[in-house]
Every structure is written in C-alpha cells, then in structure tokens.
Amino acid sequence: FQKFEYIYSFVARAGWMHSNALFLVSGAFAAYRKEVLVPLKGFDPHSMVEDYEINHRLYRYAYDHHLDWKIGVVAGASAITDAPATANKFFHQRQRWFAGFLQTQCANLDMTVNPKFGVIGRFMLPIKALDAIQPVLGVVALGLLIWLIAIESPALMAIFWVVMIKLSIDLLFNLWALLIYHRWAEPLAGQLWIQVVVYTLLTPFSFQWLRHMGACLGWWSYLTKRLDWKAQR
C-alpha cells in the first residue's frame, strides 16, 4: 500500500510542478539553493513538517518580492527511504504529518483564496483546505454506512453501485498514473500491474481507513497541542 502511495504521490508532484504549485517534496531527499534558504532563515525548528512548511514561506517570499522561484521534482534522482513497518509506527507518522499539515495551513490562512499568490492562493490552498476535512468526512461516511447496514436500508444497493463505479474509475486512473510513472521515472516490473489492481480494490476497505484514522489522530494532536517529533525507525 505504501509503495503505490509513494508512486502516485510522485506522479501528482510532477503534475503540480508543471502548474508551479508544488508544496510537498520529499524531506528525506530534497535540495535547496543557499540563496533561497538564507533570506527564509532556514527551516522552522518548531514545525512538525519542516519540508512542507518551508515551501509555503518560499512561495510567500517569492510572490512578495516578485522572484521567479520554483519548486520541482527530478525524475532521474533516486533514493531509498524507510517506511513504517508496524501499525503503531504508521499511525505515529501519519499523526505527525497531518498535525503538521494543519499547523502549516493555519499559519498561512491569509494566502488562501488570495489572488496575490497566483495559482497557489486561488487554487492549491483551497484544495488543501478541503483535504483538511476529508478524513473527518470519511469517518462520518463509514459510520453512516455501518448504520445503514444495521437497519438493512434499501439505499444499500444504490451505494453498492456507486462504490463499484468509483472503483472502476479509480482503477483506470491508477493504471494511467502507473504508466506515466513508468515513462517518467523508471521501468516497472510486470508484477506491479497485477499488484495495482489488488491495491485499487482493497484500499477503500483497508488502507484508506488507516490513513483516515492517522489523520484524525493528527487533528487530536493539533487541537490539544500535543505535538512531538520522533525519529522514524
């Protein structure tokens, strides 16, 4: 699940790069020009997601000073990262990520829907605002589904077909994105094309809920100010 999540995140980053609206780069494998970091005064030691946070300040500074700064991803660059191997470590990672995401969003609310910041303000940050509430809506939707099943609601058949249509669309998009990744970054083993079908069919009923749970923990951490940053093992 995490392997495909990483693959698709890089495909998405390539797309946002072409719109000059890329916020998220890999903190474990990023490079910044010194002349950019110096006026920004470097990373924020109080941020939960220092790589994500500094890109907001980078765009803010560039727009304020009319600088042609860009953030991008390089297809030919390769690195190995350690992904969480247990559920406990996974939840801790996602809790920190989402709490840091909320921390950064709230610190940059003045940029949201602000035409001064171009496509960042008009388009990207409003999308991120929707991302902030998506996990909560997902958990509510799951609760409603369980309740409808319990009362044997006649709406279940309609929900079933909606889910089937959504899975079909997801599969087409996932295959398309995997093909883009293959052409853009690296050759893919044949087994990945089979794995992506399994990934698509299982994610909505398993991994997606783990992600939502981690994000809800992030909301709890942010609202209670219980933020910590531990090394990933």
Side-chain angles (χ1 to χ4, degrees):
F1 287 114
Q2 292 180 91
K3 175 172 63 180
F4 283 108
E5 183 185 32
Y6 274 55
I7 287 175
Y8 293 135
S9 71
F10 276 100
V11 173
R13 290 174 197 179
W16 285 117
M17 174 183 67
H18 290 301
S19 300
N20 197 26
L22 176 62
F23 269 130
L24 185 60
V25 297
S26 296
F29 195 51
Y32 292 87
R33 296 184 184 277
K34 182 180 177 181
E35 58 265 32
V36 170
L37 289 185
V38 169
L40 296 180
K41 299 181 180 179
F43 293 101
D44 180 1
H46 303 292
S47 174
M48 299 285 289
V49 283
E50 77 293 335
D51 51 333
Y52 182 65
E53 187 277 336
I54 199 170
N55 290 336
H56 284 70
R57 285 190 286 124
L58 188 154
Y59 278 121
R60 181 189 293 275
Y61 190 93
Y63 276 104
D64 284 344
H65 296 82
H66 307 288
L67 299 172
D68 188 26
W69 285 358
K70 288 182 171 59
I71 300 172
V73 287
V74 181
S78 299
I80 295 173
T81 189
D82 292 324
T86 66
N88 183 51
K89 293 173 182 176
F90 176 84
F91 283 132
H92 184 272
Q93 180 199 60
R94 298 313 167 102
Q95 182 177 5
R96 178 180 67 82
W97 280 3
F98 205 82
F101 163 71
L102 295 172
Q103 183 186 40
T104 306
Q105 287 294 108
C106 292
N108 294 279
L109 282 177
D110 62 306
M111 295 176 66
T112 306
V113 300
N114 189 336
K116 170 186 174 182
F117 297 102
V119 67
I120 294 291
R122 294 193 307 267
F123 191 61
M124 184 57 162
L125 283 173
I127 289 177
K128 291 298 181 182
L130 294 176
D131 286 345
I133 62 173
Q134 182 187 15
V136 178
L137 296 178
V139 171
V140 171
L142 178 61
L144 287 174
L145 180 60
I146 294 173
W147 177 69
L148 291 174
I149 293 173
I151 65 172
E152 298 181 356
S153 170
L156 288 174
M157 184 55 65
I159 293 173
F160 170 80
W161 285 112
V162 169
V163 170
M164 291 298 103
I165 293 171
K166 175 68 165 56
L167 284 176
S168 300
I169 295 172
D170 285 350
L171 181 58
L172 290 175
F173 268 98
N174 287 345
L175 290 170
W176 179 39
L178 197 60
L179 180 62
I180 292 173
Y181 184 78
H182 164 63
R183 292 175 174 174
W184 175 63
E186 62 178 278
L188 300 177
Q191 62 184 12
L192 279 183
W193 298 101
I194 299 174
Q195 291 177 4
V196 74
V197 176
V198 177
Y199 165 84
T200 303
L201 297 177
L202 293 184
T203 292
F205 309 104
S206 54
F207 185 62
Q208 187 64 26
W209 299 109
L210 297 178
R211 294 175 59 186
H212 284 337
M213 289 169 62
C216 288
L217 288 172
W219 263 109
W220 178 81
S221 290
Y222 176 73
L223 294 175
T224 60
K225 305 301 180 184
R226 298 183 180 183
L227 307 175
D228 66 334
W229 209 128
K230 296 178 182 177
Q232 181 67 48
R233 292 288 181 263

